[in-house]
Amino acid sequence: MIYAVEVAVTLKPVVNDPQGLVVRDGLRQLGFSQVRSARVGKVIALELEASSDGEARAAVVEMCEKLLRNPVIEDFHIESLVAGAEVG
């Protein structure tokens, strides 16, 4: 099966986020004074072939551990994992 996966990669809470500060300040300047904080991350969209949800999830976790995130400063979580059509 083909799986569509979205992974969110974000800075760990203890890591300074200068982009987040710029976003927060920009929103406040636009009149959104209720914004207390903003953190900026990235979403990575993948399509991969796997035989089960568990196999797809395990592969994505391994990809994140090996390449998609910096384990020193970033966390990740799988936003969605959706099975598609059979490869034929």
Side-chain angles (χ1 to χ4, degrees), residues 8-31:
V9 178
T10 56
L11 291 171
K12 291 184 177 187
V14 295
V15 176
N16 188 28
D17 184 0
Q19 283 183 301
L21 294 174
V22 169
V23 169
R24 182 201 65 192
D25 293 345
L27 289 170
R28 286 179 175 178
Q29 288 178 6
L30 291 171

Side-chain angles (χ1 to χ4, degrees), residues 2-3 5 9 12 19 22 26 37 42-43 49 53 58-60 66 71 77 81 83-84:
I2 300 294
Y3 287 83
V5 183
V9 178
K12 291 184 177 187
Q19 283 183 301
V22 169
S37 68
K42 57 190 170 190
V43 174
E49 189 172 337
D53 287 8
V60 171
K66 290 185 173 183
H77 66 274
L81 187 141

Side-chain angles (χ1 to χ4, degrees), residues 1 3 48-61 81:
M1 287 224 150
Y3 287 83
L48 64 124
E49 189 172 337
S51 60
S52 68
D53 287 8
E55 182 182 301
R57 185 172 299 280
V60 171
V61 167
L81 187 141

